Every structure is written in C-alpha cells, then in structure tokens.
Amino acid sequence: MTELTSQKEAALAAISGADTLEALDEQRVAALGKKGWVSLALKTLGQMSPEERAQAAPAIQAVRAEIADAIAAKKEALEAAELEAQLTSETVDLTLPAPDTVSGSVHPVSQVMDELAEIFADLGFAVATGPEIEDDWHNFTALNMDESHPARAMHDTFYFPDAASDASASSSEAVGRQEGQMLLRTHTSPVQIRTMKEIAKANPGGAPVRIIAPGRVYRSDSDATHTPMFHQVEGLVVDRDIHLGHLKWTLETFLKAFFEREDIVLRLRPSYFPFTEPSVEVDVGYASEGGRRVVGGSGDDAGHDWMELLGSGMVNRRVLEMGGFDPDQWQGFAWGLGVDRLAMLKYGMDDLRAFFDGDPRWLAHYGFSPFDQPTLSAGVGARA
Ligand code: DAH
C-alpha cells in the first residue's frame, strides 16, 4: 500500500503543477486512463483472496476519488484563469477614435435631375421614362424626321448593327437606314411619342399631358463641351388652347425656382426643329462675376450676355398625330434641355468631361450630401 500512497502523492503534485488544460489531461490519462496506474491497481483486486480484497478495495477506491476530485478542482481553476486572461486581452477601448468611413456623395447631375423633378412636380408634372436603346421610328420618324430629313444626319447617331445591314458600316452612313433599326437614343424626345401613344390607348384622340422625361442620351461626339453620353430633360404639355405664352411662363417659373433668384431674363429666338412649329431657342442672361458666370439680369439688357439653354416650341401637328392625338382638338408645347450644362452653370464647373471621369476627388468636391434633401430653399409655390 505504500507504493499506492507514493504514487498518489506524486500524482497530486503533478496535478497541482499542471499549468495548462492539456498538461492536466495528460495527468488524468496517466492515472485514470485505461492503462493508468489507478486502473491497473484496481485490476489487481481480481487476483486477491476475498479477505485481501475487502481490505484493499476501499483504499484503492479512495485514492481514485481523491485523484478525480483533484483533477476536477484543477480543471475548474485553469478554465477560470483562461477566461480571465481572455477578458483582459480582449478589452475594447471605447475612447479610441473610430476608423474613417468613406461616404459617397450625390453626383451633381443626379442632384440637378432631382431638383428639376421637384420643381416640375410643384407645377403638376409627372416623370415619364423611355428606353435608352430606342428604335429609329420613335427616335426620328415619329418626330417628323423621316429617312431623308437632313436633321437626322446632324445627330451623330450610334446605330446597332443588324442582320439586314452591314455591321461594319460607320455611323456617318446612318441617314437612310431602314425602319426598325435599333440605336442609342440621341435625345429624350422619343419619350414624347411613347407617352402620347400610351395615353391615346386609353383615351382615343388624346387627353391632357404634363410630363418631364429626364434621362441619358448618346451621340458620337467628344470634346471639352461634348461627351458621347449626356443628360437631357424633355418636357411636354398638351391640352386644349395651349399657346406659346404658357411655354414662356413655365420656363421662366422653372428657371427662377432652379436658380433661386427672381431676376432671371429670358430671350426667345426663332429657330427650327422638325418636331415643333413654331420653334424657339431659349437663351438665359448671365453676367461674369469674379471669373464665374452668374445667371441673372444685372439691371438692363446691356449688362449681361446670353447663353443658349434649351430648344422648344409648339408641338408639330404631325407629331401629335404620330402620338395618336387629334391636332384639331389638342395643342401643346415641348422642350429639351441639357442637364449637364445646367449643372455647370448653377454649380460653377468648367469642364464637362470631368462629370464622367469618375475621379473621387472631383466628386468629393462637387458632390452633394445625400442627407441634405430636399435641396431647394423654396419650391415654386413659395415664390408665387
Ligand atoms: N431634341 C432636341 C435635341 O436634342 C431638343 C429639343 C428641341 C427638344 C425642341 C424639344 C423641342 O422637345 O421642342 O436637340
């Protein structure tokens, strides 16, 4: 029995000296495992006489219990220490500054589009959309530009190759392409046709229309003032007894709200567009202040220059007809304006190409916070 006692003393010392859970488990296997010394001692009971066994068994069982208790106690202590170490090493210092997060901004073009939608919503206009991949009929023919129309050649159209024509033909050969040809729309004007057709479906002969159509348009053109993709906002108003006076008032009211000033001066110049008759080009007066263009009249006409802003006019009878409207019952006006140019003018950027370079520094400088909406200090109603 002295051997068992000394084995026990040695084991208890090793258990209390174990400094990791792994080391402790080695001690458990060495004592209580299948081939551990406690298990071997228990096996010797089988060869003993009943008297010897009656005496030896309780002693061995007691040693086993003592070892098992010591292991359990040590295990608990080691686990507690491990948790404590983890808690101290993983402390979060809430006083440290948070890491920088990169926040996006609203592109000036999106900003201006939103501002336009807001202003025209005040005037009772809905927003209409149409496809950027358009067909020849909606983009040209229905707008009174048939295949031989010279204005068609001025649009520098991006055509899609199709089965019937030579895919390698360049866009300069565009005039005279057959109907059904797909293209990237060169203006937002086809949305006029799509909108009227849709309305005429439910209201044969026509019904009042008041929409704007903002969106991307494409032309094969690129320099400091032209990019192959740019943005327009189309406007269309159709009703009974609509005349040029309504057009002028609408554009004036819009520009006052957009530039947030009352002294906006407009000049309407006779012009020509196939889809309007008569057609006017609208210029806005501006002055140079500190090397920057500032929209507004500085007293009299002599004090400012004119900048071309948009094309417009009374909707051509043939266009109304193409849209399914009766031109003897309905009249309307329309306009198309360049959003990018409007953004440059209001927010003082000078190179159109920077709009589409995707340079984060430019966007950080000219972009708008998404949390500052709505953006205009006063709507149209507030100025009436
Ligand atoms: N679609 C023309 C363009 O892109 C702009 C335009 C002019 C639109 C007159 C109109 C309009 O609706 O009436 O050059």
Side-chain angles (χ1 to χ4, degrees):
M1 211 38 70
T2 41
E3 202 205 335
L4 193 62
T5 309
S6 66
Q7 276 176 313
K8 184 189 82 178
E9 296 302 332
L12 288 175
I15 287 165
S16 101
D19 52 6
T20 63
L21 286 165
E22 292 74 38
L24 180 64
D25 203 53
E26 276 167 29
Q27 291 307 315
R28 183 189 61 77
V29 172
L32 308 177
K34 249 193 197 154
K35 292 180 182 153
W37 56 270
V38 176
S39 309
L40 293 178
L42 283 168
K43 274 189 193 150
T44 61
L45 292 174
Q47 288 122 42
M48 292 180 188
S49 64
E51 295 75 31
E52 279 175 323
R53 190 183 308 138
Q55 202 200 1
I60 300 173
Q61 296 292 11
V63 167
R64 185 167 77 156
E66 204 174 332
I67 296 288
D69 286 351
I71 288 173
K74 184 69 183 180
K75 188 171 181 220
E76 207 170 292
L78 284 174
E79 280 172 349
E82 198 169 87
L83 179 64
E84 187 59 33
Q86 196 182 1
L87 286 175
T88 28
S89 72
E90 290 178 5
T91 303
V92 176
D93 183 352
L94 294 174
T95 65
L96 285 175
D100 262 0
T101 50
V102 183
S103 58
S105 60
V106 176
H107 193 284
V109 169
S110 304
Q111 170 77 12
V112 166
M113 296 264 216
D114 288 349
E115 291 178 12
L116 293 185
E118 196 179 322
I119 293 167
F120 282 107
D122 278 353
L123 294 172
F125 285 66
V127 172
T129 55
E132 289 170 32
I133 297 175
E134 189 49 284
D135 60 56
D136 173 86
W137 189 83
H138 286 93
N139 196 79
F140 292 126
T141 312
L143 289 160
N144 197 32
M145 299 159 91
D146 67 22
E147 256 121 87
S148 62
H149 203 292
R152 227 157 139 146
M154 285 156 45
H155 272 226
D156 296 314
T157 312
F158 286 117
Y159 283 95
F160 285 89
D162 74 355
S165 65
D166 178 8
S168 65
S170 77
S171 65
S172 59
E173 295 168 42
V175 186
R177 295 267 180 130
Q178 77 278 23
E179 200 144 298
Q181 174 73 47
M182 299 306 283
L183 46 81
L184 291 177
R185 68 178 180 192
T186 58
H187 50 180
T188 42
S189 303
V191 183
Q192 290 188 32
I193 302 297
R194 290 185 175 273
T195 304
M196 284 193 283
K197 285 189 71 112
E198 194 61 37
I199 288 173
K201 244 196 251 169
N203 307 275
V209 182
R210 220 187 278 183
I211 56 124
I212 58 167
R216 298 189 181 101
V217 300
Y218 303 84
R219 291 188 202 176
S220 177
D221 205 355
S222 186
D223 58 38
T225 54
H226 297 88
T227 49
M229 186 279 295
F230 57 104
H231 300 83
Q232 288 187 336
V233 170
E234 193 81 9
L236 175 67
V237 171
V238 178
D239 212 322
R240 301 183 193 272
D241 310 317
I242 289 286
H243 55 72
L244 263 181
H246 296 123
L247 166 65
K248 189 174 183 223
W249 180 87
T250 303
L251 293 177
E252 224 166 55
T253 305
F254 149 61
L255 289 168
K256 283 179 185 175
F258 180 75
F259 287 108
E260 299 183 76
R261 49 193 297 167
E262 282 300 314
D263 61 348
I264 297 290
V265 280
L266 287 189
R267 182 172 75 175
L268 271 58
R269 268 184 300 113
S271 183
Y272 173 76
F273 299 102
F275 26 90
T276 44
E277 182 57 39
S279 301
V280 291
E281 252 164 294
V282 178
D283 301 336
V284 66
Y286 72 91
S288 287
E289 282 176 19
R292 242 194 89 174
R293 284 174 168 182
V294 178
V295 168
S298 350
D300 61 318
D301 276 8
H304 55 256
D305 293 312
W306 297 105
M307 188 182 334
E308 185 189 322
L309 211 57
L310 57 93
S312 64
M314 300 303 294
V315 181
N316 191 301
R317 289 176 61 88
R318 300 190 58 182
V319 173
L320 287 166
E321 266 168 8
M322 294 286 200
F325 278 49
D326 175 359
D328 291 326
Q329 299 285 321
W330 304 95
Q331 301 86 48
F333 64 82
W335 76 84
L337 74 88
V339 176
D340 314 281
R341 191 188 293 196
L342 212 58
M344 289 170 83
L345 200 53
K346 182 165 176 181
Y347 295 112
M349 304 104 170
D350 51 14
D351 192 343
L352 182 61
R353 286 170 295 196
F355 274 63
F356 311 116
D357 278 350
D359 185 336
R361 291 167 303 176
W362 187 88
L363 288 169
H365 183 75
Y366 286 111
F368 293 84
S369 161
F371 304 113
D372 285 346
Q373 313 286 349
T375 52
L376 296 168
S377 55
V380 171
R383 310 181 158 260

